Amino acid sequence: MAHPATGGGPAHRVVTLVVVGFAAAVVVVPLGRLVLTVVQETHGRLGAVLSTPGLGAAVVNTFVLALAVTAVAVPAGLATALALRRSDLPARRLFRVAVLLPVLVPPFVLGYSWRQAYGRAGITDTVVGAAWTGVQGSGGVFVVLVVNAVPLTYLLTAAGLAARAEPDLVRAARASGATTWIGLRTVTVPLLRPAIAAASVLVFVLTLESFAIPQVLGTPAGFKTVTTEIYTDLARSADPVSFVAAVTLALLLVASTAVVVVAADVLVGPRLRVTRVSEAPGTTPPANRSPGARWLAAALGGYLVLTVALPMLALLAAALTPAVGVPPTPANWTLDNLRAVLDTRTFDAMQRSFGLSLGAASLLAVLGGCLAVLERRRAGRALSVVVTLGLVMPGSTLAVALLISYGRWIGGTTAIILLAYLAKLWAFAHRPVSGALDRLPPDELRAARASGATALTSVRTIALPPLAPALLAGWLICFVTALHEVTMSSLLYGPGSETLAVVVLNAQELGRVGRSAAFSVVLTVAVTLPAVPLWVALRRLRTRT
Amino acid sequence: GGSGAGGGSADSITLYTCVGDDTVQAVIGGFEDTHPGVQVDLFRAPTSDLNARVAADVRSGGLRADVVWACDPLTMRTLVDQKLVGGWTPDGARALAERYRTPDYVGVAVLYIVAAYHDGAPVPRSWSDLAGPEYADAVALPDPAVAASALGALGYFSNADGYGLDYYRRLHDNGAVQVSTPDDAVSGVASGTYQAVMTIANSAYLAADNGSPIGVSWPEPGAVGVYGPIALARSSTDSSLTKQFISYVVSRPGQTTLANAGSYPTLAGVPGPTIPAGAPIVYPDWSRIASDQDQLLRDYQQIFGG
Amino acid sequence: MSAPPALQVRALSVAYDRDLAVHEVDLSVGVGEVVALLGPSGSGKSTLLHAVAGFLAPSAGEVWLHGRRVSSPSRVDPPERRDVAVVFQNGALWPHLSAVDTVAYPLRRRRMGKARARAEAVQILDRLDVGHLARRRPAELSGGEAQRVGLARALARGASLYLFDEPTANLDTHVRALFLTELAERQRVSGTAGLYATHDAEEALGLADRIVLLRDGRVVQVGPPELVYSRPVDLWAARLTGPATYLSAPLVSVGTGTGVVDIAGERVRVRCEAGGDGPGSLLVRPGWAHLGGTLPGRLRAVWFRGPHSDHQVETPAGEVLIREPGGPRGRVGDRVGWSLERVWPLAAPGARPQPPRTTAGPD
Amino acid sequence: MSAPPALQVRALSVAYDRDLAVHEVDLSVGVGEVVALLGPSGSGKSTLLHAVAGFLAPSAGEVWLHGRRVSSPSRVDPPERRDVAVVFQNGALWPHLSAVDTVAYPLRRRRMGKARARAEAVQILDRLDVGHLARRRPAELSGGEAQRVGLARALARGASLYLFDEPTANLDTHVRALFLTELAERQRVSGTAGLYATHDAEEALGLADRIVLLRDGRVVQVGPPELVYSRPVDLWAARLTGPATYLSAPLVSVGTGTGVVDIAGERVRVRCEAGGDGPGSLLVRPGWAHLGGTLPGRLRAVWFRGPHSDHQVETPAGEVLIREPGGPRGRVGDRVGWSLERVWPLAAPGARPQPPRTTAGPD
Ligand SMILES: Nc1ncnc2c1ncn2[C@@H]1O[C@H](COP(=O)(O)OP(=O)(O)OP(=O)(O)O)[C@@H](O)[C@H]1O
Ligand SMILES: Nc1ncnc2c1ncn2[C@@H]1O[C@H](COP(=O)(O)OP(=O)(O)OP(=O)(O)O)[C@@H](O)[C@H]1O
Ligand SMILES: [Mg+2]
Ligand SMILES: [Mg+2]
């Protein structure tokens, strides 16, 4: 619209301060410290760092991989969201939960589970004698990363859809002679663009910084990425040269991501936004079944079996057998691994982790909401980019940065771990909301203001409730990710602040697959149980689609 | 640094280490039993994380550990070079073999690089067997850039006659692949992904004991021994307590506890985990490795995946 | 008739989750005919249109287009396979498309080239006086402009049956006229038929060939405008179709086309078609009584309406509304004489009485 | 006046990215007064209301409420700090809130307890006949029902100035009446003022104390309904305010309140206030001429409009529209006599001629 009347109000200013403050604390300052370190300690060795053999290849690998994964995972997630939105889909509710399962598995375990499912001597190999040797190597890395990213894009686009039901817009297309498919292509999807953009940015960045899966499935085939390079350097970072090299690489990653994200957010983003006209949404039609639904369900089911069921099965097998290579026949079943995960020593770690994750996720939901709202103003956009940089920093580097910045005071406390989670996951909490917020017609906020609501109240009562799905989506991702996060906390923890992942995974070297598997099985159960009522709540919250 | 003596609370020291959890917990337990009222705060992480943590400490007010117990001499050397640790070793160290002693740190545990093979696969008698046709496309090695033990092996082979870097070239041509850590190698061979792998004895035996279908072989010219040194942090504010801890680890009771927990002790005469009778053992020349590790790694990466 | 009707709705019922919004409705629209669907808010107009368009599945009954069955509880042909164009009550414009692309959309769906489609779209927009806004998106249009774009989109569809849902709610008379002439043109040229949902009696009476009165999803009365206006089935229908007042006076005798009314003892001979289901009260339309005459009355209220003024007159037999051209004829409270020209015997008034403002004609 | 007016708009201009939508508008609404903002589609009504509500910042000029300046190019008080209630043209209902919660919203903002707010909300909804839909969300409401919820929300705000943007576009006469009586009640009780944007001349003439004619964002004329209707400043204003035809006949002499018109040689004495800026053509409203009389003419078109019928009569001096109560008086093509009672001298017709349907009164 024209010059929208700017009516901030003091409360609004407070929010701005809080958000800016957090952004500075968890992203700007640590990044700054890293830059400083590099500046002070690369005594012209930058050239040397950049000329490390294989680095070029790693960089190419990283970006090609990120592009490819984004190109495949986003459409896949979108398709899933559209499919699961159909009211006539059989077993819809089950699917809605199943699609999310991959998020629950820690990445490195996910990589392992795929190797066990499809690799040499894996499930398929032993059962039907068909192995996919490519699972170790670029192919495997790509596929598993895609599978890992689909739930994310699904959540984001689904949230976008749920934020505002507009049946009449599609009806208008149909009545203009558009088939279902054309209607999707020309109306539904274009209206989802902001959500799709949000998903794309997230997936892209997520792939750039992904470490565990390339490490587990890529390295054996000599497939290297920037993150694995960084890891290698860190391994020898007792030597200052290697340390600086690692940091330098991380900063390069951040810088190059910044370029991409800025391009996406500042240049493309605004174009994708379309101002909604607030009009009666059109009466919702009662559901009527159509034959296509059954096929859809079948396809979806197949996909889930291949990408979720089999790998999960492999995990379960590993969790129930005493050691790798022991055939998972009932005779060999044991609960040792599960016991090891659930023993008293891990118990308070588990409590701590749940508390930490709950706190982080909830805080993040608030921060994400606030930022998304600020983002409507121009200055906010910059912030959203900054926040995204926190996500792209490889976990280990981010942890180091935080230690350098705050270790002196809060090193080894849960506080610093919380900061790390905030820095890492803020983008997760923010992008879905901002993607969905774009569907809000300005007049609806005005109506609230004209009813006596302050800027903030109007956002709280009008803008956010329809975004409950988006917020919940963000919350869920943050919670789960924080729950099995290990890269950062294993570097940050101290006496009395060990997280569950640290105790269970890091304490036994990651090689002890049995326990790692048991761990993710426990996690899956521990998270799915509360997740189910959460999803029921979500379905009630969303303005009906 | 670790909370100083005279701090109101119970005396405590901080230990940074990368040694396996079982071992560390056991040793700490033993120490705390013999020294009532003392508490050891542990930060335990894989070498990479340990180093990163140290690096971060250094850049934010100095090392916050009193003791560092590393998994390989190389890491320790760099710390010594940065004047972070060293300058003292316990008297008990004299009881150790020469090769485990330096003025700044002493070796208190050993990792042996051995060959693990999947049941049914031919037993590798010599390291060079792994480059042979019966192991084509079925061998995995840990990454020397990540696992210091692997670097030790690299260091040894690179100037062992009959091997040299050419050995790795032959392995690679034979389809051998590189995994991240020795444990990855173990799970790989146990699951049957590989027929034979280069790994460390502890985790190989552990897997075998748990029933993994693998065997362990100490091939000619010998299993490569890589010792894990312990050292006093120069910044330690409570060195007396810290020194007591180090002395304990080196002492016979300490070494015994360590051995019972599944690690190979450095103190002669302390019964440790399995070492087949007459199994050959060799040791890399760390000073040489330290001097040209960059060159070594670069050459290695020319061959493997780089 | 020989050619099958453009639209035939047979015993159609449409239910939302809870309750029936359309109840066993029968109606048909002949080729080239415009039928107005006149009903108060919530009477089921939009629902009926949506069922015809194929957006909603009937819970009972059928919809036939040009002799082809397109909707039945078991089978619903998708909208794109019916030859209908829809104007939505809420506009339903696509936020991401400019006016020209919106109007070009149906053309493109007919495989028309992009350039040509846009050119044609601009023409249609021009005819509705919004050609200069072709590049604007809905958010940059005024209410009426948006509604016109919606109309243009429907016109571009070039269907044989048009479904209009309050298409002129936001249009001023001038633009309204533009649209109605456009519509008339199409009827003439290509025998287009139209089903026109509105709540505006005057509009319905003015443009439709036949009128269907809808009440709570049921058809109350069907017929040509004149008939529906002058012979409503009951008081409710009378009020819906325009200003209505009624005298509670006995109709002493009914002849052919005439009758005698007894008002406070005075006997008045009036026009009065037979067939009204009296003896209830007598419907009096504003034009059926005049100021000046022998009957006694007092002015209760007067409204200036531009071309004419409405006078609420209190009489011994109740209040009547009298419309006279020009300005007000006197002030509130004045005693006035009046005369009665015509009545229509109604069923006893069922609907609740309404505040005078209503009965004061469609405003 | 002693008390400052409820609303004062001073030389207000509002621009969208490109161009001015409101241009140096001055207007004021007294306490307890209802002013109608009458203008065609796109004339800037909504924009003006939005600027008054504080949604848009003026590019020039000021807005004063009860003697307090609330908008100027430099400073814009937020809407919640102005005592105004707004009814949006497009409803602007919140998809996630049920009707009752929507209406309770403004009450809650005034710190009213949840239970009480809801109770009160239901009352208001009841007064607009939608109490039974209290639990429904917008997606489950018909167009008119939704609009009523929007109205109820505004009423619940209980402001001293109401801004209505085509609030009755989707309402039938009955509901319209309910709303208007509610509005009148508030005016009476609490001296509420209203600014009422509409394109419907009849509605504006019927309900407003004063009328402001808006054209392309500029004020064309301001005055009480009668005046605006009978003495429009020009042909455009004449057409906007109702059915208008004009005779191109010389006004030979103008006396006090009367004049003599020469129609095809025949001299006719007519009512005719001075002050029209003729000599241009003569405005004739449908009520100003009558069928039956000495002047020659032929019926060009006839429209039945329920209470009355409009007759388009072709005369030597051009076409005139004559409205007579009751049904049509003759068929198209008939020769008819007619008489002229009153005229208003206009400026030379500037606006482009319009198709007959327009001039045929608000339909
Ligand atoms: N966001 C916008 N950007 C550019 N121009 C706009 C925008 N909104 C409205 N306009 C233009 O401003 C003018 C006034 O719009 P406004 O909505 O005030 O008209 P209106 O009097 O309300 O018309 P209607 O009766 O159709 O609602 C119109 O010409 C419209 O095209
Ligand atoms: N999705 C829905 N769920 C339940 N009831 C509904 C739904 N949509 C509409 N209704 C009800 O169905 C009835 C008919 O609605 P419809 O929109 O057809 O009315 P309408 O004649 O178009 O009214 P209006 O003139 O106000 O648009 C209304 O009572 C409405 O409340
Ligand atoms: Mg409707
Ligand atoms: Mg408007």
Side-chain angles (χ1 to χ4, degrees):
Chain A
M1 289 292 291
H3 336 292
T6 54
H12 195 278
R13 237 161 277 123
V14 172
V15 172
T16 318
L17 280 182
V18 171
V19 171
V20 172
F22 266 103
V26 299
V27 181
V28 179
V29 172
L31 258 179
R33 285 304 307 263
L34 283 191
V35 175
L36 208 63
T37 316
V38 173
V39 171
Q40 288 169 342
E41 302 186 24
T42 47
H43 309 296
R45 281 200 234 88
L46 193 59
V49 173
L50 297 183
S51 63
T52 322
L55 178 59
V59 171
V60 173
N61 287 346
T62 307
F63 279 87
V64 171
L65 189 65
L67 285 174
V69 170
T70 313
V72 175
V74 171
L78 176 60
T80 322
L82 290 172
L84 291 188
R85 181 157 146 277
R86 292 183 52 157
S87 50
D88 58 352
L89 189 75
R92 177 152 163 253
R93 216 160 303 167
L94 174 78
F95 281 135
R96 279 201 174 144
V97 178
V99 167
L100 294 177
L101 286 179
V103 181
L104 301 180
V105 185
F108 57 87
V109 188
L110 192 68
Y112 166 80
S113 68
W114 273 71
R115 204 176 64 199
Q116 287 311 92
Y118 301 110
R120 195 195 296 173
I123 292 184
T124 53
D125 197 0
T126 40
V127 177
V128 297
W132 174 36
T133 45
V135 73
Q136 277 198 352
S138 50
V141 175
F142 168 74
V143 171
V144 177
L145 280 176
V146 166
V147 170
N148 203 24
V150 165
L152 182 66
T153 51
Y154 159 72
L155 277 178
L156 263 64
T157 42
L161 282 168
R164 184 169 220 77
E166 293 160 321
D168 273 0
L169 294 187
V170 179
R171 289 171 173 166
R174 304 297 299 278
S176 304
T179 60
T180 320
W181 167 242
I182 304 264
L184 266 184
R185 224 191 61 224
T186 53
V187 175
T188 313
V189 171
L191 289 179
L192 263 182
R193 276 188 204 132
I196 294 175
S200 309
V201 170
L202 275 187
V203 172
F204 183 80
V205 173
L206 206 55
T207 317
L208 284 184
E209 69 93 43
S210 70
F211 164 68
I213 291 171
Q215 175 75 349
V216 173
L217 294 178
T219 0
F223 178 81
K224 296 203 165 150
T225 66
V226 175
T227 46
T228 54
E229 286 296 291
I230 292 176
Y231 181 73
T232 329
D233 283 328
L234 271 186
R236 295 160 50 228
S237 58
D239 165 16
V241 183
S242 312
F243 177 77
V244 173
V247 174
T248 314
L249 286 188
L251 287 179
L252 287 180
L253 194 59
V254 171
S256 43
T257 314
V259 175
V260 178
V261 175
V262 167
D265 280 10
V266 179
L267 301 183
V268 187
R271 291 236 193 77
L272 300 184
R273 299 211 172 84
V274 291
T275 322
R276 285 293 200 286
V277 184
S278 160
E279 57 189 16
T283 55
T284 51
N288 45 344
R289 288 196 172 282
S290 78
R294 218 164 283 102
W295 292 110
L296 205 56
L300 210 52
Y303 168 81
L304 288 177
V305 166
L306 286 180
T307 59
V308 179
L310 271 173
M312 285 281 185
L313 205 62
L315 272 192
L316 198 58
L320 289 178
T321 48
V324 185
V326 181
T329 52
N332 299 332
W333 282 353
T334 166
L335 292 181
D336 291 352
N337 292 320
L338 287 169
R339 269 195 221 94
V341 173
L342 295 170
D343 76 2
T344 48
R345 208 173 130 253
T346 59
F347 188 67
D348 44 2
M350 194 175 296
Q351 283 174 313
R352 193 177 298 116
S353 277
F354 263 87
L356 203 54
S357 309
L358 277 173
S362 311
L363 196 52
L364 279 164
V366 175
L367 286 176
C370 295
L371 177 52
V373 172
L374 293 187
E375 192 188 15
R376 323 294 295 152
R377 308 175 191 285
R378 203 165 276 91
R381 305 249 172 81
L383 263 183
S384 78
V385 174
V386 169
V387 164
T388 314
L389 296 187
L391 173 58
V392 76
M393 262 204 279
S396 45
T397 325
L398 179 56
V400 168
L402 285 168
L403 273 175
I404 296 182
S405 312
Y406 308 113
R408 196 182 267 97
W409 303 283
I410 53 174
T413 64
T414 37
I416 199 166
I417 299 182
L418 184 65
L419 281 188
Y421 289 174
L422 293 187
K424 193 75 181 162
L425 301 176
W426 196 342
F428 276 140
H430 153 245
R431 295 262 166 192
V433 182
S434 83
L437 198 56
D438 281 313
R439 298 195 135 205
L440 183 76
D443 273 356
E444 286 182 16
L445 277 180
R446 293 170 165 169
R449 303 293 295 277
S451 303
T454 63
L456 219 58
T457 317
S458 62
V459 166
R460 180 174 55 79
T461 51
I462 301 307
L464 293 186
L467 301 190
L471 282 165
L472 220 44
W475 189 94
L476 208 61
I477 299 182
C478 294
F479 176 73
V480 173
T481 319
L483 202 52
H484 60 51
E485 191 287 329
V486 68
T487 330
M488 295 187 294
S489 44
S490 72
L491 220 157
L492 292 172
Y493 82 95
S497 65
E498 302 90 345
T499 62
L500 182 59
V502 166
V503 174
V504 178
L505 306 176
N506 177 18
Q508 2 277 341
E509 296 290 345
L510 300 191
R512 285 250 201 112
V513 175
R515 300 205 176 164
S516 310
F519 171 66
S520 35
V521 170
V522 169
L523 268 191
T524 313
V525 176
V527 174
T528 328
L529 292 186
V532 169
L534 217 57
W535 272 91
V536 177
L538 187 153
R539 281 180 55 263
R540 281 185 44 253
L541 277 166
R542 62 177 48 172
T543 49
R544 295 175 202 157
T545 54
Chain B
S3 56
S9 67
D11 297 343
S12 74
I13 61 173
T14 306
L15 165 65
Y16 280 13
T17 184
C18 61
V19 174
D21 195 53
D22 306 350
T23 306
V24 181
Q25 296 294 350
V27 172
I28 290 177
F31 176 69
E32 285 175 348
D33 294 347
T34 51
H35 299 69
V38 181
Q39 183 199 334
V40 178
D41 295 333
L42 171 67
F43 173 78
R44 198 216 145 278
T47 306
S48 55
D49 290 357
L50 182 65
N51 291 341
R53 171 87 165 231
V54 171
D57 279 0
V58 171
R59 287 162 181 78
S60 60
L63 186 60
R64 276 185 280 279
D66 299 300
V67 196
V68 178
W69 182 355
C71 299
D72 66 289
L74 218 48
T75 309
M76 197 56 92
R77 272 168 180 274
T78 50
L79 296 184
V80 170
D81 296 347
Q82 298 171 66
K83 303 270 180 299
L84 294 175
V85 299
W88 177 86
T89 55
D91 306 342
R94 294 207 195 75
L96 300 178
E98 173 63 33
R99 75 173 80 91
Y100 298 129
R101 277 190 278 134
T102 75
D104 295 302
Y105 51 87
V106 292
V108 290
V110 193
L111 299 175
Y112 292 107
I113 307 291
V114 298
Y117 56 93
H118 198 75
D119 285 354
V123 181
R125 302 265 166 245
S126 144
W127 284 113
S128 50
D129 295 354
L130 296 183
E134 61 272 24
Y135 295 103
D137 303 327
V139 172
L141 326 172
D143 181 354
V146 173
S149 50
L151 182 55
L154 175 61
Y156 169 78
F157 288 119
S158 60
N159 75 333
D161 32 359
Y163 287 87
L165 273 167
D166 181 53
Y167 172 57
Y168 286 89
R169 200 167 289 109
R170 281 186 283 127
L171 282 174
H172 183 261
D173 298 344
N174 196 34
V177 303
Q178 166 193 285
V179 295
S180 183
T181 65
D183 295 289
D184 294 343
V186 171
S187 54
V189 71
S191 65
T193 316
Y194 313 110
Q195 289 301 301
V197 298
M198 185 185 284
T199 183
I200 57 179
N202 314 55
S203 43
Y205 280 119
L206 180 68
D209 297 347
N210 287 332
S212 289
I214 60 172
V216 182
S217 148
W218 299 56
E220 292 295 339
V224 183
V226 176
Y227 69 90
I230 192 168
L232 170 71
R234 291 182 186 272
S235 61
S236 171
T237 55
D238 192 344
S239 37
S240 70
L241 205 53
T242 315
K243 287 172 178 170
Q244 289 178 33
F245 177 76
I246 297 178
S247 312
Y248 171 78
V249 181
V250 177
S251 69
R252 179 163 296 273
Q255 286 286 301
T256 317
T257 325
L258 174 151
N260 297 339
S263 294
Y264 291 91
T266 48
L267 187 57
V270 174
T274 330
I275 298 184
I281 297 177
V282 294
Y283 298 95
D285 171 357
W286 287 106
S287 49
R288 216 189 106 274
I289 299 179
S291 58
D292 54 12
Q293 61 165 317
D294 292 342
Q295 188 53 44
L296 263 180
L297 282 172
R298 211 169 288 117
D299 298 345
Y300 169 86
Q301 277 156 353
Q302 292 297 339
I303 302 165
F304 268 94
Chain C
M1 42 182 98
S2 61
L7 165 67
Q8 227 176 350
V9 174
R10 298 182 183 167
L12 186 74
S13 299
V14 183
Y16 293 107
D17 327 322
R18 303 167 201 60
D19 33 23
L20 282 182
V22 168
H23 201 98
E24 291 182 355
V25 166
D26 291 284
L27 71 82
S28 81
V29 180
V31 175
E33 188 185 27
V34 171
V35 171
L37 210 52
L38 180 60
S41 173
S43 54
K45 303 183 294 294
S46 301
T47 309
L48 183 53
L49 292 188
H50 281 208
V52 172
F55 304 147
L56 299 176
S59 51
E62 300 178 342
V63 177
W64 291 64
L65 291 175
H66 296 286
R68 189 166 62 86
R69 192 179 69 188
V70 292
S71 279
S72 69
S74 57
R75 185 161 182 304
V76 177
D77 286 5
E80 67 269 22
R81 275 199 246 110
R82 317 175 169 213
D83 187 18
V84 299
V86 184
V87 177
F88 289 78
Q89 184 169 18
N90 59 18
L93 294 184
W94 301 302
H96 62 296
L97 290 188
S98 66
V100 59
D101 290 331
T102 305
V103 180
Y105 191 93
L107 301 170
R108 301 279 293 140
R109 298 286 83 74
R110 296 205 310 257
R111 310 242 175 305
M112 186 184 288
K114 191 164 192 117
R116 240 190 88 218
R118 291 176 146 236
E120 206 155 304
V122 172
Q123 279 180 11
I124 302 178
L125 287 169
D126 268 330
R127 260 177 274 152
L128 293 175
D129 252 11
V130 279
H132 59 293
L133 305 174
R135 313 225 135 289
R136 296 245 190 109
R137 287 181 171 179
E140 304 168 332
L141 294 174
S142 82
E145 290 163 345
Q147 190 157 40
R148 279 180 272 175
V149 175
L151 277 168
R153 175 175 63 188
L155 293 176
R157 170 84 161 129
S160 66
L161 172 65
Y162 282 80
L163 305 175
F164 298 103
D165 198 346
E166 315 252 3
T168 61
N170 289 309
L171 299 186
D172 53 87
T173 43
H174 166 56
V175 180
R176 219 175 263 218
L178 290 183
F179 158 61
L180 291 174
T181 34
E182 176 75 27
L183 180 58
E185 179 65 9
R186 302 213 168 204
Q187 266 173 281
R188 208 174 48 64
V189 175
S190 50
T192 309
L195 184 56
Y196 194 107
T198 179
H199 53 68
D200 181 337
E202 208 172 326
E203 181 168 52
L205 294 171
L207 69 82
D209 302 316
R210 278 188 307 132
I211 294 191
V212 175
L213 296 190
L214 212 58
R215 176 184 193 173
D216 297 338
R218 284 188 173 76
V219 172
V220 174
Q221 187 175 6
V222 181
E226 297 241 18
L227 185 103
V228 172
Y229 179 76
S230 59
R231 306 189 195 177
V233 288
D234 60 14
L235 184 57
W236 183 88
R239 286 195 167 128
L240 182 64
T241 46
T245 46
Y246 49 92
L247 294 171
S248 39
L251 184 61
V252 277
S253 79
V254 182
T256 56
T258 68
V260 176
V261 184
D262 177 329
I263 296 178
E266 187 168 338
R267 302 202 155 219
V268 190
R269 169 162 299 281
V270 295
R271 253 184 83 199
C272 164
E273 283 83 2
D277 50 8
S281 50
L282 303 174
L283 171 67
V284 178
R285 293 290 194 186
W288 295 357
H290 304 285
L291 289 180
T294 60
L295 295 169
R298 165 186 275 100
L299 273 187
R300 275 292 311 282
V302 180
W303 300 279
F304 171 65
R305 304 210 175 284
H308 50 83
S309 300
D310 287 322
H311 308 74
Q312 186 86 4
V313 179
E314 186 176 14
T315 79
E319 297 200 341
V320 280
L321 182 79
I322 301 180
R323 172 165 300 178
E324 294 290 349
R329 305 262 185 99
R331 250 177 274 86
V332 175
D334 296 358
R335 310 200 139 283
V336 291
W338 61 286
S339 58
L340 187 61
E341 176 193 333
R342 178 180 180 182
V343 299
W344 170 253
L346 280 173
R352 46 175 153 32
Q354 302 171 341
R357 222 30 194 293
T358 327
T359 54
D363 50 3
Chain D
M1 39 183 104
S2 59
L7 166 67
Q8 228 178 348
V9 174
R10 298 182 184 168
L12 186 75
S13 299
V14 182
Y16 292 108
D17 328 321
R18 303 167 199 63
D19 33 23
L20 282 181
V22 167
H23 202 100
E24 291 184 355
V25 166
D26 291 284
L27 72 82
S28 82
V29 180
V31 175
E33 188 184 28
V34 170
V35 172
L37 209 51
L38 180 60
S41 172
S43 55
K45 304 184 292 296
S46 301
T47 309
L48 183 53
L49 292 188
H50 281 208
V52 171
F55 303 148
L56 298 175
S59 50
E62 301 177 341
V63 176
W64 292 64
L65 291 175
H66 296 287
R68 189 166 62 85
R69 193 180 67 186
V70 290
S71 280
S72 68
S74 57
R75 183 161 184 307
V76 177
D77 286 4
E80 67 268 23
R81 275 195 246 117
R82 318 176 165 211
D83 186 18
V84 299
V86 185
V87 177
F88 290 78
Q89 184 169 16
N90 54 23
L93 293 185
W94 303 305
H96 63 292
L97 288 189
S98 66
V100 58
D101 290 332
T102 306
V103 179
Y105 191 90
L107 302 170
R108 300 279 293 138
R109 299 285 84 71
R110 277 190 272 134
R111 311 242 174 302
M112 186 184 289
K114 190 161 192 123
R116 242 190 86 218
R118 289 173 148 239
E120 207 155 304
V122 172
Q123 280 181 11
I124 301 178
L125 287 169
D126 268 331
R127 262 177 272 152
L128 293 175
D129 253 12
V130 280
H132 58 292
L133 304 174
R135 314 227 135 285
R136 296 247 190 106
R137 291 182 173 180
E140 304 166 331
L141 294 175
S142 81
E145 290 162 346
Q147 189 158 42
R148 278 181 271 175
V149 174
L151 276 167
R153 175 175 64 187
L155 293 176
R157 168 84 160 131
S160 66
L161 173 65
Y162 283 79
L163 304 175
F164 298 103
D165 199 346
E166 315 254 1
T168 60
N170 289 309
L171 299 185
D172 52 86
T173 43
H174 166 57
V175 180
R176 221 174 261 220
L178 290 182
F179 158 61
L180 292 173
T181 34
E182 176 74 27
L183 179 59
E185 179 65 10
R186 302 210 170 208
Q187 264 173 282
R188 209 175 45 65
V189 175
S190 51
T192 308
L195 184 55
Y196 194 108
T198 179
H199 53 67
D200 181 335
E202 211 171 324
E203 182 167 50
L205 294 170
L207 69 81
D209 303 316
R210 278 189 305 131
I211 293 190
V212 175
L213 297 190
L214 211 57
R215 176 183 192 172
D216 298 338
R218 284 188 172 75
V219 172
V220 174
Q221 188 175 6
V222 182
E226 297 241 18
L227 184 104
V228 171
Y229 180 77
S230 60
R231 305 189 195 178
V233 288
D234 59 15
L235 184 58
W236 183 88
R239 285 190 169 134
L240 182 65
T241 46
T245 44
Y246 50 91
L247 294 171
S248 39
L251 184 62
V252 275
S253 77
V254 184
T256 57
T258 68
V260 175
V261 184
D262 178 329
I263 297 176
E266 188 167 338
R267 302 199 154 222
V268 189
R269 168 161 301 278
V270 295
R271 250 184 86 200
C272 165
E273 285 83 1
D277 50 8
S281 50
L282 303 174
L283 171 68
V284 178
R285 293 291 194 185
W288 294 358
H290 304 285
L291 290 180
T294 59
L295 295 169
R298 165 187 276 102
L299 273 186
R300 275 292 312 282
V302 179
W303 299 279
F304 171 65
R305 303 210 176 285
H308 51 81
S309 301
D310 287 323
H311 307 75
Q312 185 86 6
V313 179
E314 185 177 14
T315 80
E319 299 200 338
V320 279
L321 182 79
I322 300 179
R323 171 164 301 177
E324 295 288 351
R329 307 261 185 99
R331 250 177 276 85
V332 175
D334 295 358
R335 310 200 137 283
V336 291
W338 62 286
S339 57
L340 186 61
E341 175 192 334
R342 177 181 180 182
V343 299
W344 169 251
L346 280 172
R352 45 176 154 34
Q354 302 172 339
R357 226 24 200 295
T358 325
T359 55
D363 51 2

